[in-house]
Amino acid sequence: MTMAEGELAISELHFVRDQHLPPLAPPARMTGAVGWIRENLLSTPVNIAMTVVVLLLTVWIVWGLLDFLILDAVWTGADREACLMSTQHREIGACWPFVWERLPYFTYGSYPIPERWRVDVFFALLAIGVGWMLWLQAPRRDLGALYFFVVLPILSYILLHGFAAIGLPVVDTVLWGGVLVTIVVATVGIVVSLPIGILLALGRRSRMPTVRFFATLFIEFVRGVPLITVLFMASVMLPLFVPQQFEPDKLLRALVGIAMFASAYMAEVVRAGLQAIPKGQYEGAMAVGLSYSPMMRLIVLPQALRITIPNIVNTYIGLFKDTTLVTIIGIFDLLHTIEVARIDPKWATPVTSATGYTVAAIFYLIFCYGMSRYARATEARLQKGAKR
Amino acid sequence: MSTAELSAVGKPARLSNPIAVDIVKMNKWYGDFHVLRDIDLRVKGGERIVICGPSGSGKSTMIRCINRLEEHQSGRIVVDGVELANDLKKIDEVRREVGMVFQHFNLFPHLTVLENCALAPIWVRKMPKKQAEEIALHYLTRVKIPNQANKYPGQLSGGQQQRVAIARALCMSPKIMLFDEPTSALDPEMVKEVLDTMVSLAKDGMTMLCVTHEMGFAREVADRIVFMDEGQIVEMNEPEQFFTNPQHQRTKLFLSQILR
């Protein structure tokens, strides 16, 4: 019997497995460092070219930074003479003596020198609070929350602003500056914006039209106006309407402005998270008898916030950098103090500005990158906890 | 909790009325669309009702009206003596007494299986956490998955998830259980384990309303089968009569389609 082409033999049509196949280890090129490099960096000509270009770019940037920050940098000196090419007869990088000398100013602004320990204590108290909240295995985190959200704000106010009755002279906020102001403004914005943002987001999705209307009005109004305008209104317009003796403190006004602004953005971030929660979750919660508030608190918000962590942190990072805008209404945040110091004739050299801005860049980079890393770690932890 | 108490927990809670669910001339619209038309259905305590019909016939919508996941616009729905209207208190009262199982489980993915089950007893019944967890474990044992208690729903198979969903509903000691296509989203190999759980519930005398296409289940446990089409109840009968001697043209067509 002959078979036409394309037909299958009887033995190819029927099959019963008679031996079980055990799993084998993957081929060598999928494992090990060499395998990884070959697979990921050198897989195609385009990939090889990209790898080389990026490598060269990295070397160039790192070399330039090293040069400026360390190799050519000036480490000691009393004034601008130390950082001038004309007097030193060499390439001049960063002018670090300028930073050493002005570091207290960058940190405290014009806060009176004998009272600066109060700021240090505040930084320490804040660090304890932040550590307590962010370290998830920390003991008594409920106490930590109480400390962070109730005790710390009161203590900080007494410490920084002063309380004459217990012997702490009042320090007008006009004198506050530098890192102190940046940290205060950012912390208040970060801490206040999340709860208010959540309330606004829930309001915007409320079934009650009046609540929805006011939440929407607030969010859209604040989002529709640049932060600078909000700050201007808080600092210039508000005093026009309020009698002078009731006029709130300038820093306080800026704080309220920034907190409002951040809350509106946070509300939209949270709303996006709420919208991503399937209807079935609400129905599951309602079907077991949960009413609105426990349903939101126990079922919807935990899930919504979890998926919005990257966006929440993104908003926080934006907010942290936006604090520099308070400069505009004459508040001396870190960037503003650097701005003032760099034009001081005592240190005026071609590299002073670059050095000052480098300090600012490092400061903001550390904080923003820190937030970003923490968020990534949290995401990873939650992913591991609740694989779906 | 003593063993006596636990076994009491095992039995369905007593209804305070002989009629578990009374639906009278109920109508519902989605916008202009008349989804439920003049629904009349009276379910006695302990009765097992299976509701079937083509998709879009309003079966799910009807049972979702019973715990007010959907609002009806006219007519009356009385659940164990409590009439459903806009009164939020009454709605909560009904939801506490009526358990529901969904097609897509609707478990809470951020909570463990045990937390899923203990949540409502703790927050709705205000039970101490320890006691709620005991009850949760009791029902998880009953649906045969006590050893999965500390896993997350996403780590379980579909059939296991649906059994957790049943346990979660049972933890509230409901007087009535609603099932909305509980096996439709499951792989074929997992349908049986869920149906077995439902059969054992039925044997305990639970009042049940099930929307399902599992005709074997309907034959085995249903006291009555309700057939719906285009928002109306078309035919209602005991299973034997329903399957062997359907009266309405639409019922005959439906049965000929699904029973081949």
Side-chain angles (χ1 to χ4, degrees):
Chain A
M1 193 177 77
T2 57
M3 264 186 353
E5 227 168 301
E7 259 180 76
L8 297 175
I10 297 293
S11 64
E12 288 173 308
L13 285 170
H14 302 277
F15 174 75
V16 178
R17 179 165 296 289
D18 52 8
Q19 101 200 87
H20 183 71
L21 298 181
L24 301 174
R29 65 181 162 77
M30 285 174 66
T31 53
V34 178
W36 187 89
I37 288 173
R38 211 182 267 174
E39 193 79 1
N40 292 284
L41 299 180
L42 308 169
S43 57
T44 62
V46 176
N47 195 345
I48 294 172
M50 291 299 287
T51 303
V52 171
V53 168
V54 170
L55 208 64
L56 289 177
L57 215 65
T58 312
V59 168
W60 180 63
I61 291 171
V62 170
W63 187 251
L65 276 176
L66 268 181
D67 235 13
F68 179 78
L69 295 178
I70 296 168
L71 300 179
D72 288 343
V74 176
W75 298 91
T76 52
D79 55 22
R80 63 193 290 268
E81 295 291 316
C83 301
L84 280 179
M85 211 192 277
S86 53
T87 56
Q88 301 299 315
H89 308 293
R90 67 175 180 94
E91 284 287 323
I92 299 288
C95 183
W96 295 122
F98 155 70
V99 177
W100 301 148
E101 192 193 287
R102 308 315 302 263
L103 203 55
Y105 180 61
F106 295 161
T107 313
Y108 309 102
S110 307
Y111 210 89
I113 293 171
E115 305 296 332
R116 283 183 181 173
W117 63 271
R118 284 155 56 177
V119 179
D120 293 333
V121 174
F122 160 72
F123 284 149
L125 291 176
L126 181 66
I128 291 172
V130 171
W132 206 344
M133 294 309 292
L134 296 189
W135 182 35
L136 299 168
Q137 278 84 43
R140 295 308 304 269
R141 294 185 73 227
D142 50 340
L143 275 186
L146 185 74
Y147 169 77
F148 192 80
F149 292 104
V150 180
V151 179
L152 189 60
I154 297 170
L155 265 184
S156 307
Y157 179 79
I158 293 174
L159 258 177
L160 295 174
H161 182 262
F163 194 63
I166 56 167
L168 290 177
V170 170
V171 178
D172 197 295
T173 54
V174 173
L175 300 174
W176 300 19
V179 173
L180 168 64
V181 162
T182 297
I183 295 286
V184 165
V185 174
T187 310
V188 169
I190 284 173
V191 171
V192 170
S193 64
L194 189 59
I196 296 188
I198 289 173
L199 289 181
L200 284 170
L202 292 177
R204 195 169 185 173
R205 286 172 60 79
S206 168
R207 290 175 67 177
M208 287 175 274
T210 45
V211 175
R212 199 166 56 226
F213 175 76
F214 279 110
T216 311
L217 188 74
F218 179 88
I219 293 168
E220 291 305 335
F221 177 74
V222 176
R223 284 208 315 157
V225 176
L227 178 55
I228 292 184
T229 315
V230 174
L231 290 174
F232 261 133
M233 273 164 53
S235 84
V236 182
M237 308 271 288
L238 193 69
L240 298 180
F241 301 110
V242 184
Q244 197 152 23
Q245 65 268 32
F246 298 125
E247 191 186 309
D249 183 87
K250 186 156 84 177
L251 183 64
L252 180 66
R253 278 178 275 156
L255 283 177
V256 172
I258 285 193
M260 266 172 47
F261 194 78
S263 303
Y265 273 88
M266 196 54 79
E268 286 301 278
V269 167
V270 174
R271 186 169 70 102
L274 289 175
Q275 267 162 351
I277 302 302
K279 208 166 144 244
Q281 290 293 308
Y282 292 86
E283 292 179 349
M286 287 191 280
V288 290
L290 291 178
S291 49
Y292 180 82
S293 137
M295 171 174 77
M296 284 300 171
R297 200 158 36 87
L298 302 168
I299 306 301
V300 178
L301 278 174
Q303 295 186 64
L305 293 181
R306 178 171 302 180
I307 52 178
T308 38
I309 286 174
N311 290 331
I312 290 175
V313 175
N314 196 32
T315 309
Y316 279 168
I317 290 174
L319 168 68
F320 192 80
K321 292 181 294 183
D322 278 351
T323 58
T324 52
L325 289 174
V326 296
T327 301
I328 289 256
I329 54 170
I331 293 173
F332 286 76
D333 76 316
L334 173 62
L335 196 61
H336 199 166
T337 55
I338 290 174
E339 197 64 17
V340 170
R342 80 183 175 89
I343 50 175
D344 177 359
K346 185 183 172 195
W347 286 102
T349 71
V351 293
T352 308
S353 298
T355 310
Y357 290 138
T358 305
V359 171
I362 292 172
F363 174 83
Y364 286 105
L365 188 69
I366 288 173
F367 276 83
C368 295
Y369 188 65
M371 284 192 259
S372 166
R373 290 305 308 185
Y374 184 79
R376 288 289 294 275
T378 309
E379 273 174 70
R381 184 177 57 82
L382 294 174
Q383 289 281 316
K384 228 165 79 187
K387 259 182 279 164
R388 356 208 140 140
Chain B
M1 219 170 11
S2 70
T3 42
E5 272 177 283
L6 265 181
S7 61
V9 161
K11 295 287 166 209
R14 268 278 175 68
L15 289 153
S16 16
N17 290 270
I19 302 298
V21 180
D22 199 5
I23 302 178
V24 184
K25 284 249 171 278
M26 190 258 280
N27 283 277
K28 174 172 177 59
W29 287 264
Y30 283 132
D32 288 338
F33 179 53
H34 197 176
V35 253
L36 292 176
R37 309 177 196 171
D38 274 353
I39 300 291
D40 278 301
L41 180 67
R42 177 170 284 195
V43 182
K44 285 181 295 177
E47 219 184 346
R48 276 93 55 171
I49 307 278
V50 161
I51 301 149
C52 61
S55 65
S57 58
K59 338 175 268 290
S60 291
T61 311
M62 185 183 82
I63 72 161
R64 286 158 59 87
C65 283
I66 296 173
N67 66 351
R68 195 66 167 195
L69 289 184
E70 303 284 353
E71 201 176 311
H72 61 282
Q73 275 85 39
S74 75
R76 278 157 50 86
I77 301 179
V78 182
V79 181
D80 194 23
V82 180
E83 173 159 8
L84 283 171
N86 281 326
D87 187 347
L88 284 176
K89 273 218 171 97
K90 293 257 169 81
I91 294 173
D92 281 342
E93 197 179 321
V94 166
R95 283 179 183 161
R96 276 198 296 271
E97 311 306 332
V98 178
M100 185 160 202
V101 175
F102 300 87
Q103 180 177 5
H104 296 289
F105 329 135
N106 297 359
L107 293 174
F108 309 129
H110 61 303
L111 301 177
T112 64
V113 164
L114 191 71
E115 288 166 339
N116 262 279
C117 294
L119 183 93
I122 293 172
W123 292 95
V124 181
R125 294 249 189 259
K126 310 290 177 206
M127 203 180 268
K129 189 169 176 232
K130 199 160 168 291
Q131 192 189 349
E133 285 180 351
E134 271 177 57
I135 291 185
L137 260 180
H138 168 79
Y139 283 111
L140 286 172
T141 312
R142 166 134 196 217
V143 300
K144 303 197 176 66
I145 34 177
N147 47 347
Q148 315 281 5
N150 293 315
K151 288 194 181 164
Y152 286 90
Q155 295 167 295
L156 305 186
S157 73
Q160 289 173 325
Q161 290 192 47
Q162 193 60 298
R163 283 184 284 150
V164 172
I166 294 173
R168 178 177 75 178
L170 292 177
C171 282
M172 286 293 284
S173 338
K175 297 168 176 167
I176 300 164
M177 283 287 285
L178 308 175
F179 292 85
D180 187 3
E181 305 207 27
T183 55
S184 305
L186 296 178
D187 288 341
E189 286 186 283
M190 292 164 185
V191 170
K192 186 174 176 297
E193 61 189 56
V194 171
L195 288 181
D196 286 347
T197 311
M198 290 167 65
V199 169
S200 103
L201 255 186
K203 294 213 168 106
D204 280 353
M206 175 68 81
T207 309
M208 292 164 66
L209 284 92
C210 315
V211 174
T212 183
H213 295 121
E214 296 295 335
M215 288 305 141
F217 172 79
R219 240 184 240 276
E220 186 182 344
V221 300
D223 294 311
R224 233 189 318 163
I225 296 183
V226 174
F227 176 69
M228 291 182 70
D229 186 37
E230 293 187 359
Q232 304 151 64
I233 293 180
V234 172
E235 191 164 345
M236 193 151 68
N237 214 335
E238 280 126 43
E240 192 52 37
Q241 285 295 309
F242 180 83
F243 286 114
T244 53
N245 189 19
Q247 301 297 312
H248 196 281
Q249 215 35 53
R250 188 66 188 85
T251 319
K252 288 178 188 167
L253 179 67
F254 180 76
L255 287 176
S256 74
Q257 299 287 350
I258 60 166
L259 305 173
R260 251 179 294 174

